[in-house]
Structure formats: structure tokens, C-alpha cells
Amino acid sequence: MEIDCLPFYKTGYFSEFICDYLAEEPQVQNFYNRFPDLKNFEAQIAEKATSFPDENREILYDALQLQYKGFEVSNETQTHLKKLKEPITFTIVTGHQLNLFTGPLYFLYKIVSTINLTKELKKAYPKYNFVPVYWMATEDHDFEEINYFNFRGKKLKWNKVASGAVGHIDTKGLDEIFEAFSNQIGNSTNAIALKQLFEKSYLEHDNLADATRYLANELFGSEGLVIVDGDDKSLKSLLVPYAEKDIFDQLAYKKVSETVTKFDELEQKYNVQVNPREINYFYLKDGLRERIVGQDDTYFINDTEIHFTKEELQKELKEYPERFSPNVIARPLYQEVILPNLCYIGGGGEIAYWLELKAMFEAMQVPFPVLLLRNSALVITEKQTEKLAKMNLSVDDLFLKQSSFINKKIREISNIDVNFSAQKQVLEEQFKSMYELAEQTDASFLGAVKAQEVKQKKGLDHLEKRLLQAQKRKLKDHVLRMTEIQNQLFPNKSLQERNVNFSELYLELGENLVPMLLDTLQPLQQEFTIVKM
């Protein structure tokens, strides 16, 4: 196995905002607390230790014991659960939707990044404990985003009508997906293991939250991963004072809006990832998850007949905190309130919206966590590596847009020179003497010379493109093989990790897949990882 790395900015798949964050550019520094360097965690530990109450640890431990009831818990996870009660224990968190059968590959990369960071922190700060946490996004209600996974270029979709929080959705109908998947993967040892994993996860559990917990626990339980479901009354009781400041004082809206304005004022004009609402909570009940909208002193549940006075909503919040579901702005705060957390690990889009939230955290008097961009990787199989070698293709070239990739390689392998730079240079030398002559006459002749130069350069550009197209036709078999391997590694002209399901790699690597990723991905390296099998 060969490991290589590429700076994120060279891949062409990460925003300017994220690249500037990784480069610690001055204009971004006001939007985060501490940069993800190992040395910065000492101060983060000290800050969190003095702000996280011991009683919160007890509530968290008790809630997790109930959440894990009925599941087989590894010794490593059970140890981590117990350690959460100790004031010297801190968490590293990643979060993800309940995508069917994990969805894209980066689900695994997120959790591996989280586990590996806890190991690095333990080496650097041995007197503390560090627990990896996967936060299940059970309260999301966008079922269409999670009801499928891709396998070998085909979408296996769960056709079901569903509403409300996805964690509550029953698993009826997934037997059809299981059959379709089983028919495609064959009967190798690894295929049988995948079938059993899908069957036990989705056909032996009643709802999507339990199914996802089982699946993640099977994949990472031996590493001590702790899985948290925020859809929990006891945990949400800790959120009540912060929800009151959001709903009744609009504190989150004011502070995040101030930050969004600062984004707009920057010369780069960074794109705003999410915009705050005046109230950043949904009302969650009986298959319903709808926004809370305030008007004067009355609070309406969007698209329903339900409404409350201010006093009634305050009472509802205190008596039924489980009915209040934070949105994308409020959820990060909820996480940091109930967990002794030091760092959040997420993708580029997630880190971008977290960077909008620092002022809100300060106003709420909750420590803002370190933000770490998750590991990204391109895994190239042994057969694909052999193909690349035969065609003399570098991995760096594969990250080019396909047209640029083809043009670059055609110029390299062509038996004639398809680059007219030398001819353009000769042309410029010829026109140099023409300009000297023109300067001795009037301005109109100088303009005519310039126009003729531009015309002839355009003519050379046109001829160069014609010649390149002719060479593409002549070398069409080579072009076909090049584009085929690039399309395999970058399906839909996007990163592999955003399209391919882990099952495709599991069929080749089996139970060695997760250990390989744990050995390979280094979260604080902050570069794109390329794995050649």
C-alpha cells in the first residue's frame, strides 16, 4: 500500500473559505477560537474543564445508558461511557445524517478522523481521557437526502412516504432494498458479511435511529465509539435556558446576523453557508417537525393550527423539552452544552457554517470548540493502480477537470507538438519591428498593427485547437481509457468519497477496510490523502 498526500487547495474541490481557514489567513481568524494544532488543545481543555458542570456528566451518562439498552456494547465503548462521568474526560465529536447503509464513503472518514484524533490527544495529554463521539442527526426531517445509497453507479432508493424526524421512521420496506442489494453483490465471503450487516441493522430494528446505532456500533464499537442521539428529553432539559434566549430574546439570530454581515464585508465575499432565523427551533411531535414562528406575543407552528402565547410556550418548553428541536444554527450549541467537547470534526460545508457561530457561542457563554476539517481520501484499488501506471497517468492529473486532463495528456503523448507557444513567440518578434516602424508614423497605423497581431494570434489559437481535436480523434482509444479511469475514481465528476458507498471497498478489503483507514488517515495532517492499494 502506498500513501500520498495533496494539499486541499490543489484538489479543486474545496472552497476558498475553507482553504483560507486551513492556511490561517488573517481575515478568517476572527471566526474561530483556536486552530486545530495539537498544542492548542491544552488551552481548550482548560476552558472546557471550568465550564462543564459535573451534574451534566451524570445526566449524559444516564441518558446514554438508556439509549444503549438492548444493544451489545463493546468493552471499549462501555469503558468510555463510564469515563464520561469523570471530570478529566473530554469528547471529540463528529455528526452525520442517518443515511441508508452509511450513504457516501465520507461517513467512515468522519468517524475514523474522530477516533484517530482521540488517540493523538491521549499521547499528547496522557493524564486526560478522550472519547470519540458520533452524533446521530436523528431529528433531521429531509428524508429525500438520506433514503438511498449508491452502488456501482446505481442508486438503491428506499421508496417510502415519510415525514417528521427521520430517527422515528420505521424500517418497513427495507427488505426490498436488501433483496436488490443482495442480488448485485454476489456470494463471496465479504459479500455475505455485508448482507448480514445490512440485514441485522435494518431488518432487525424497528426505526432508523436504532438501525443506524447498530450499524455504526458494529463498524466502530471495537474502537470505543460512543453514539449519541440528541432526541432525548433528559438531554434537552439542559438546553432549556439556551433555547429561551434563542426563542424569546432572538440572541442567536442577532449574533449570527452580525457575523454574516462581516462575511459580506470581506473582499473575498465568502459565501454564507446558512442564514439564521429569528427562532432557530422546530416543534417536534407525532411525526411533525415544523418551524416555530413568532408574531407579536403569539408563537405559531408553521403549516399547522398549533399556536401558543409566550407564557404557554415557556411552559411547554419547561415541561416538554423533547418537543423542541434545534435547527442547523442551534444544534451545534446543543451539542456543546451536553457534551464535555473539545473539537468538532466535519466536512467543508459544516466547518463553514460553524465559522458563523462563534459570536453566538460567546453571547450564550458556551466555549466554542476547535474546528477540524475531516480527512478526505481517494482510494485506488490495485487494478486501478496498474491501469494508471500503464497509461503513465499521475494521480495529481486526475484531479483536473476532464477537458483539461485530456488536453494535457494528449499534448504529452502526441508524436507532434500540439503547443503553438513557439510560433506565437516568433510572431511577437516579427510584430516587434512592426511596432517600431508604426511609432514613426501616426497613432492610427499603430492601432492597425495591434489589431493585426491580435487577429493572427487568434488564428494560431484556432489552429492549435483544431490540431488538438485531430490528435484526440487519432488517439481516441487512449482518450477513452483515460476518461474511463478518471470517471471510475471521480464518479459524476466529483470526489469518490461523496458518491461511493463503503460496501464497494468492503467487497475488496472486507474486515480490513476499517483498520486500513485507521492506519492511514491522520486528522491533524490537514491534507487530502491518496491511498494506492
Side-chain angles (χ1 to χ4, degrees):
M1 187 169 65
E2 182 183 336
I3 310 298
D4 201 359
C5 292
L6 191 66
F8 280 111
Y9 73 89
K10 284 190 175 182
T11 68
Y13 286 96
F14 293 83
S15 70
E16 183 179 15
F17 192 16
I18 291 301
C19 293
D20 284 354
Y21 172 65
L22 295 176
E24 298 182 73
E25 293 291 344
Q27 65 267 30
V28 182
Q29 290 177 5
N30 289 332
F31 302 120
Y32 60 89
N33 190 13
R34 296 181 180 92
F35 192 74
D37 281 330
L38 201 56
K39 65 180 185 297
N40 290 338
F41 279 91
E42 184 174 8
Q44 194 71 27
I45 290 168
E47 183 180 14
K48 193 68 179 185
T50 57
S51 67
F52 194 76
D54 288 342
E55 53 266 32
N56 286 25
R57 292 181 180 274
E58 292 293 335
I59 293 170
L60 175 63
Y61 175 79
D62 291 342
L64 290 174
Q65 289 298 317
L66 288 174
Q67 290 185 16
Y68 271 97
K69 191 174 181 179
F71 289 86
E72 186 176 334
V73 185
S74 68
N75 292 332
E76 293 82 1
T77 295
Q78 194 62 259
T79 298
H80 279 161
L81 288 170
K82 291 176 181 176
K83 285 182 176 179
L84 283 172
K85 295 199 290 184
E86 301 174 8
I88 58 170
T89 299
F90 300 91
T91 61
I92 304 298
V93 180
T94 193
H96 198 67
Q97 295 170 296
L98 308 190
N99 294 72
L100 188 59
F101 212 40
T102 77
L105 256 174
Y106 67 77
F107 172 84
L108 269 67
Y109 299 165
K110 278 183 164 185
I111 294 178
V112 168
S113 300
T114 304
I115 291 168
N116 281 350
L117 181 57
T118 62
K119 294 177 180 179
E120 288 193 49
L121 289 171
K122 186 63 178 176
K123 289 178 183 177
Y125 304 100
K127 69 178 182 179
Y128 299 104
N129 303 315
F130 304 95
V131 175
V133 170
Y134 161 45
W135 180 290
M136 294 195 298
T138 57
E139 295 180 58
D140 282 3
H141 60 262
D142 197 339
F143 182 63
E144 292 297 316
E145 285 189 2
I146 67 162
N147 66 348
Y148 69 94
F149 66 97
N150 297 318
F151 182 75
R152 292 175 176 166
K154 295 180 180 179
K155 180 182 283 191
L156 294 173
K157 185 176 179 181
W158 184 16
N159 293 310
K160 183 184 182 77
V161 177
S163 62
V166 294
H168 299 174
I169 296 173
D170 67 66
T171 53
K172 291 176 183 176
L174 281 173
D175 53 336
E176 296 176 9
I177 300 295
F178 174 67
E179 289 299 324
F181 182 51
S182 297
N183 291 336
Q184 292 187 42
I185 65 176
N187 289 299
S188 66
T189 301
N190 293 339
I192 291 170
L194 280 173
K195 292 176 187 180
Q196 290 175 345
L197 183 59
F198 190 104
E199 188 172 20
K200 289 182 178 180
S201 298
Y202 294 99
L203 306 189
E204 296 182 13
H205 291 91
D206 294 332
N207 60 62
L208 203 52
D210 286 348
T212 305
R213 181 184 294 276
Y214 179 88
L215 176 58
N217 193 48
E218 284 295 300
L219 291 172
F220 297 105
S222 62
E223 295 294 326
L225 181 70
V226 170
I227 302 164
V228 175
D229 184 352
D231 189 5
D232 185 290
K233 182 174 182 176
S234 61
L235 294 178
K236 283 188 176 177
S237 66
L238 300 175
L239 185 62
V240 170
Y242 304 93
E244 287 178 328
K245 291 178 183 178
D246 185 303
I247 296 170
F248 303 115
D249 299 336
Q250 298 181 356
L251 185 58
Y253 173 73
K254 293 170 186 175
K255 291 301 177 181
V256 179
S257 295
E258 289 173 7
T259 303
V260 167
T261 300
K262 291 177 182 177
F263 276 23
D264 292 338
E265 292 171 354
L266 290 171
E267 290 182 7
Q268 272 86 354
K269 299 290 184 185
Y270 296 135
N271 292 328
V272 174
Q273 195 71 20
V274 293
N275 283 293
R277 295 188 181 276
E278 292 180 349
I279 296 174
N280 294 286
Y281 284 81
F282 294 89
Y283 191 69
L284 181 66
K285 187 182 178 183
D286 301 330
L288 172 76
R289 188 178 187 247
E290 285 290 346
R291 289 192 295 115
I292 302 171
V293 181
Q295 186 175 337
D296 299 324
D297 281 337
T298 302
Y299 295 85
F300 300 90
I301 308 306
N302 197 47
D303 289 336
T304 75
E305 299 297 320
I306 304 170
H307 62 276
F308 301 90
T309 65
K310 181 178 180 180
E311 292 74 21
E312 288 171 339
L313 193 64
Q314 287 172 324
K315 182 181 178 184
E316 185 85 355
L317 179 58
K318 287 184 171 66
E319 292 183 0
Y320 303 102
E322 71 276 15
R323 295 178 181 176
F324 292 78
S325 177
N327 73 357
V328 68
I329 294 289
R331 191 211 61 79
L333 183 77
Y334 177 30
Q335 170 192 297
E336 298 302 311
V337 166
I338 68 170
L339 294 174
N341 193 47
L342 303 176
C343 175
Y344 183 76
I345 297 179
E350 290 177 283
I351 299 302
Y353 78 69
W354 271 85
L355 289 167
E356 298 178 29
L357 306 180
K358 182 188 171 193
M360 178 192 74
F361 270 77
E362 291 171 346
M364 296 283 191
Q365 297 183 317
V366 176
F368 194 59
V370 173
L371 302 177
L372 180 64
L373 183 66
R374 65 166 173 83
N375 282 112
S376 284
L378 172 64
V379 180
I380 306 175
T381 65
E382 188 174 352
K383 288 182 180 179
Q384 290 168 334
T385 300
E386 290 172 359
K387 287 181 181 179
L388 292 174
K390 284 181 181 178
M391 288 185 281
N392 196 29
L393 298 176
S394 74
V395 175
D396 287 16
D397 287 342
L398 292 171
F399 283 87
L400 293 170
K401 300 298 181 188
Q402 193 157 93
S403 58
S404 301
F405 171 58
I406 294 170
N407 290 346
K408 182 175 187 291
K409 298 311 296 181
I410 289 298
R411 285 188 167 95
E412 288 178 8
I413 65 176
S414 179
N415 58 358
I416 59 174
D417 191 358
V418 192
N419 189 332
F420 282 8
S421 297
Q423 287 85 346
K424 290 175 186 176
Q425 190 172 354
V426 170
L427 188 66
E428 287 172 358
E429 288 295 325
Q430 291 175 339
F431 271 91
K432 186 177 179 181
S433 59
M434 294 289 289
Y435 280 119
E436 291 173 356
L437 179 63
E439 286 173 357
Q440 299 174 29
T441 59
D442 57 49
S444 63
F445 185 60
L446 189 65
V449 172
K450 179 65 178 176
Q452 189 63 31
E453 182 187 18
V454 170
K455 181 179 179 181
Q456 292 197 31
K457 281 185 176 179
K458 283 183 178 179
L460 282 175
D461 286 339
H462 180 68
L463 288 173
E464 185 178 325
K465 289 177 182 177
R466 289 280 301 271
L467 182 58
L468 185 60
Q469 291 299 322
Q471 285 300 94
K472 285 181 185 178
R473 289 191 293 272
K474 183 178 178 181
L475 300 168
K476 64 180 181 180
D477 289 341
H478 196 89
V479 170
L480 186 63
R481 293 196 302 273
M482 285 166 47
T483 55
E484 186 180 68
I485 188 70
Q486 189 186 42
N487 290 338
Q488 285 178 13
L489 294 170
F490 292 81
N492 297 320
K493 296 181 171 54
S494 182
L495 290 176
Q496 177 192 69
E497 64 185 34
R498 298 177 187 173
N499 289 274
V500 174
N501 182 259
F502 85 98
S503 57
E504 293 190 36
L505 294 182
Y506 194 96
L507 285 171
E508 295 210 25
L509 300 174
E511 61 184 17
N512 293 321
L513 172 60
V514 170
M516 182 275 286
L517 294 176
L518 288 164
D519 289 342
T520 301
L521 302 181
Q522 300 178 42
L524 293 175
Q525 187 170 301
Q526 292 290 268
E527 288 189 307
F528 192 99
T529 305
I530 298 154
V531 184
K532 291 182 181 178
M533 305 303 294

